[in-house]
Amino acid sequence: MNDTITSPILILGGTGKTGRRLAERLTAHGLPVRIGSRSGNPRFDWEIPATWGPALQGVSAVYISYYPDIAVPGAAETVGAFARLAVANGVTRLLLLSGRGEAEAQRAEEMLKASGADWTILRCAWFSQNFSEGFLVEPLLEGEVALPVSNVGEPFVDVDDIAEAAFVALTEPGHVGQLYELAGPRLLSFADAVAEIGKAAGRDIRFVRIPHDEFTAAMAAHELPPEIAWLLNELFTQVLDGRNESLTDGVQRVLGRAPKDFSAYATETASTGIWSN
Ligand SMILES: NC(=O)c1ccc[n+]([C@@H]2O[C@H](COP(=O)([O-])OP(=O)(O)OC[C@H]3O[C@@H](n4cnc5c(N)ncnc54)[C@H](OP(=O)(O)O)[C@@H]3O)[C@@H](O)[C@H]2O)c1
């Protein structure tokens, strides 16, 4: 492990799904961390570029988790501008949390590389934790998940594996200039995933495939912000079309072990009671 890190590592999205877990790992190893988010000190806000410079002062490396989503149009330019500012401030070690099969995400990766940084890219599959820390919690509690998605297989990845990979890439040598595609060990359809969660939670939870316009209307009824509604439609209509229906060796390459399986995630998470009502 690298015990020469004495300046803080800035973790953008440091209170979110992957960032929080990375911060916990670094802190547990006695490494200094600065949380980069609207609740951080100093405050970091993607929408207010004037907050970026102060957050970068004196840091040794940055974990970049963009918000709301790296697939949103314009994300690549924003991530590129941030990476260039970091390099101009002397912060060259940058890790980017990216997404698989997303044109905007892949453009952001190119922006990161072009910034001159010592880059590492974690290009991730759909997170398992979207079912327990994201927008799917509510429908799971209601007993019915209705999505405009086919039987396409997705290799859901556990965010603990992502945080562990980020920790290793930041603290051990050999990861600069590497792109890791992080995915779980098994392809599951959304219907399969919901069935596994129902089984683990001991509940009857249905999965229903609905047309896109019905999904759009349901999102409008929930008063979701327009960018989130756009994003969900994009993910379900464009990205989940089969292009990501394959396994990858990214977790094995970084961590030297197999990725965590969805059933282990479902069993552990069910035991917290989050899917019980
Ligand atoms: N979810 C997936 O399946 C998946 C898959 C592949 C890639 N990704 C990528 O992962 C990234 C994070 O997605 P996520 O769903 O896991 O979200 P998340 O990390 O759980 O998002 C919340 C984080 O973003 C911060 N945040 C919110 N608004 C912000 C703003 N305006 N400026 C700065 N920080 C802000 C929040 O902190 P505060 O509230 O304190 O600001 C919090 O730390 C996205 O770029 C996404 O494209 C996600």
Side-chain angles (χ1 to χ4, degrees), residues 76-77 79-81 83-84 106-116:
E77 275 68 32
V79 167
R84 288 191 298 277
Q106 269 67 88
R107 279 207 319 118
E109 294 171 3
E110 293 310 314
M111 297 277 193
L112 178 81
K113 293 179 189 173
S115 69

Side-chain angles (χ1 to χ4, degrees), residues 13-18 36-39 44-47 65-71 97-99 124-127 130:
T15 54
K17 297 183 198 71
T18 62
S37 83
R38 295 166 305 171
S39 52
F44 175 91
D45 192 330
W46 281 111
E47 291 176 17
S65 173
Y66 183 71
Y67 192 86
D69 197 287
I70 199 155
L97 174 64
S98 185
C124 299
W126 185 284
F127 300 168
N130 290 327

Side-chain angles (χ1 to χ4, degrees), residues 56-77:
L56 281 165
Q57 290 313 304
V59 311
S60 57
V62 189
Y63 174 75
I64 306 172
S65 173
Y66 183 71
Y67 192 86
D69 197 287
I70 199 155
V72 167
E77 275 68 32

Side-chain angles (χ1 to χ4, degrees), residues 125-133 136 140 145 147 153-161 183-201 205 207 247 257-271 275:
W126 185 284
F127 300 168
S128 301
Q129 277 75 3
N130 290 327
F131 291 97
S132 46
E133 298 174 27
L136 291 168
L140 284 165
V145 177
L147 296 173
E154 170 69 17
F156 296 97
V157 63
D158 195 289
V159 294
D160 275 319
D161 282 349
R186 194 158 53 104
L187 294 171
L188 287 93
S189 67
F190 277 73
D192 294 336
V194 168
E196 292 222 11
I197 288 170
K199 195 170 138 212
I205 309 175
F207 174 82
L247 303 178
R257 61 161 173 80
K260 186 166 158 184
D261 190 72
F262 191 85
S263 60
Y265 155 76
T267 307
E268 280 169 25
T269 309
S271 72
W275 295 315

Side-chain angles (χ1 to χ4, degrees), residues 9-226:
I9 294 173
L10 174 63
I11 305 181
L12 304 185
T15 54
K17 297 183 198 71
T18 62
R20 177 169 57 82
R21 289 168 168 89
L22 172 60
E24 282 167 7
R25 280 167 173 76
L26 291 165
T27 305
H29 284 79
L31 295 169
V33 158
R34 180 179 299 164
I35 301 299
S37 83
R38 295 166 305 171
S39 52
N41 184 19
R43 171 190 170 97
F44 175 91
D45 192 330
W46 281 111
E47 291 176 17
I48 308 175
T51 63
W52 303 357
L56 281 165
Q57 290 313 304
V59 311
S60 57
V62 189
Y63 174 75
I64 306 172
S65 173
Y66 183 71
Y67 192 86
D69 197 287
I70 199 155
V72 167
E77 275 68 32
T78 307
V79 167
F82 175 82
R84 288 191 298 277
L85 183 73
V87 172
N89 277 269
V91 188
T92 52
R93 186 74 184 99
L94 303 180
L95 258 74
L96 177 66
L97 174 64
S98 185
R100 285 178 92 204
E102 299 171 343
E104 192 67 11
Q106 269 67 88
R107 279 207 319 118
E109 294 171 3
E110 293 310 314
M111 297 277 193
L112 178 81
K113 293 179 189 173
S115 69
D118 292 335
W119 58 269
T120 303
I121 294 165
L122 305 179
R123 185 191 284 170
C124 299
W126 185 284
F127 300 168
S128 301
Q129 277 75 3
N130 290 327
F131 291 97
S132 46
E133 298 174 27
F135 74 102
L136 291 168
V137 174
E138 197 182 318
L140 284 165
L141 282 171
E142 286 167 1
E144 181 178 295
V145 177
L147 296 173
V149 65
S150 70
N151 232 13
V152 66
E154 170 69 17
F156 296 97
V157 63
D158 195 289
V159 294
D160 275 319
D161 282 349
I162 302 171
E164 191 67 23
F167 174 76
V168 167
L170 280 167
T171 57
E172 293 180 8
H175 301 287
V176 171
Q178 296 294 320
L179 186 157
Y180 299 109
E181 286 214 46
L182 303 181
R186 194 158 53 104
L187 294 171
L188 287 93
S189 67
F190 277 73
D192 294 336
V194 168
E196 292 222 11
I197 288 170
K199 195 170 138 212
R203 293 186 45 221
D204 184 20
I205 309 175
R206 291 193 306 138
F207 174 82
V208 190
R209 183 181 180 184
I210 55 170
H212 293 129
D213 51 358
E214 202 176 307
F215 181 66
T216 306
M219 287 193 295
H222 276 83
E223 293 173 4
L224 277 182

